[in-house]
């Protein structure tokens, strides 16, 4: 459940704003790749809240900071970096979805996924991100203006979402909040739900 914050959140990667205190929390991530539903090597937590104008998401990624891989580059240009991702299907019909990725330097990557064409990496939205490498890993803050999103004309929203973490080491590892059945062709259908955005 997403709880509305009445306190301003500054997107600086620090996560010290009191607006995060009542945020909904997603944890208990599972390994998506290469192991199927394996136990992750590291802990990840995601937080979600909102105000009148923005959806806010934060990640805390525990890790050895010396092992973190990140590239300082232009938007959409990083590859094989540590990164987190927010995936949103606002209509919940698995027809199309937004993908927002951020690396440990705060560099953005966004894509639009559709069931017909797959991922469109040329798709760009207006949103904010910041990240900070800490002595216990890294953390990310994201703010997405509601004006950048399309969603149903309802007073209270219920969206299909997933939170991912990508961790390239000796092999490329990917963790997710939602547990996936590889025999199910519809990966978007298996996302979790965030309720209460009013």
């Amino acid at each position: 459940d997403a709880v509305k914050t009445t306190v301003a959140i500054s997107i600086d990667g620090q996560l010290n704003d009191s607006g995060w205190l009542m945020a909904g929390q997603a944890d208990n991530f599972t390994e998506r790749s290469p192991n199927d539903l394996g136990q992750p090597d590291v802990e990840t937590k995601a937080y979600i809240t909102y105000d009148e104008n923005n959806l806010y998401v934060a990640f805390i990624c525990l890790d050895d900071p010396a092992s973190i891989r990140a590239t300082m580059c232009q938007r959409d240009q990083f590859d094989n970096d540590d990164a987190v991702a927010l995936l949103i299907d606002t209509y919940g019909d698995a027809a199309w979805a937004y993908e927002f990725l951020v690396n440990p330097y705060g560099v953005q990557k966004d894509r639009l996924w559709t069931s017909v064409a797959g991922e469109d990496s040329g798709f760009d939205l207006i949103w904010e991100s910041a990240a900070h490498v800490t002595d216990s890993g890294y953390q990310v803050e994201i703010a997405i203006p509601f004006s950048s999103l399309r969603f149903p004309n309802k007073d209270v929203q219920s969206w299909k979402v997933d939170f991912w973490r990508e961790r390239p080491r000796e092999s490329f590892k990917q963790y997710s909040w939602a547990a996936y059945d590889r025999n199910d062709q519809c990966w978007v259908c298996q996302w979790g739900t965030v309720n209460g955005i009013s």
Side-chain angles (χ1 to χ4, degrees):
D1 291 329
V3 177
K4 188 175 184 178
T5 180
T6 58
V7 181
I9 292 179
S10 176
I11 304 302
D12 55 13
Q14 298 296 330
L15 274 71
N16 53 5
D17 298 306
S18 59
W20 291 116
L21 295 176
M22 298 298 292
Q25 181 177 316
D27 54 11
N28 196 29
F29 280 56
T30 186
E31 187 168 311
R32 184 173 185 269
S33 177
N35 293 319
D36 190 11
L37 301 179
Q39 180 67 34
D41 297 329
V42 289
E43 185 179 355
T44 308
K45 290 184 179 179
Y47 300 86
I48 187 166
T49 186
Y50 70 100
D51 61 17
E52 288 293 326
N53 300 307
N54 299 297
L55 179 71
Y56 298 100
V57 171
F59 289 84
I60 295 177
C61 302
L62 299 185
D63 213 333
D64 173 6
S67 71
I68 292 171
R69 299 182 184 180
T71 307
M72 184 60 73
C73 59
Q74 295 295 318
R75 177 180 181 154
D76 292 327
Q77 298 302 308
F78 68 83
D79 193 30
N80 207 34
D81 279 11
D82 278 80
V84 294
L86 168 66
L87 313 175
I88 311 175
D89 176 0
T90 53
Y91 286 87
D93 58 7
W96 57 275
Y98 302 102
E99 301 179 26
F100 302 90
L101 294 90
V102 182
N103 81 359
Y105 288 149
V107 178
Q108 299 180 354
K109 182 187 287 188
D110 48 9
R111 300 181 290 222
L112 182 69
W113 173 89
T114 65
S115 59
V116 175
E119 291 178 336
D120 177 2
S121 59
F123 180 78
D124 288 323
L125 287 174
I126 295 174
W127 52 294
E128 289 184 76
S129 63
H132 179 67
V133 176
T134 68
D135 58 4
S136 59
Y138 70 99
Q139 51 199 35
V140 173
E141 282 183 306
I142 297 170
I144 303 168
F146 290 121
S147 58
S148 288
L149 303 174
R150 292 174 55 199
F151 47 85
N153 183 19
K154 296 179 181 178
D155 290 339
V156 181
Q157 300 290 313
S158 180
W159 295 347
K160 299 290 284 185
V161 301
D162 200 7
F163 307 99
W164 282 13
R165 177 177 177 183
E166 297 182 347
R167 187 171 179 259
R169 294 297 183 272
E170 65 282 356
S171 63
F172 181 82
K173 297 190 176 184
Q174 191 175 65
Y175 312 128
S176 63
W177 176 52
Y180 288 85
D181 179 355
R182 295 188 186 189
N183 294 318
D184 188 337
Q185 295 286 323
C186 182
W187 65 295
V188 178
C189 301
Q190 301 179 68
W191 293 357
T193 306
V194 168
N195 298 306
I197 300 173
S198 178

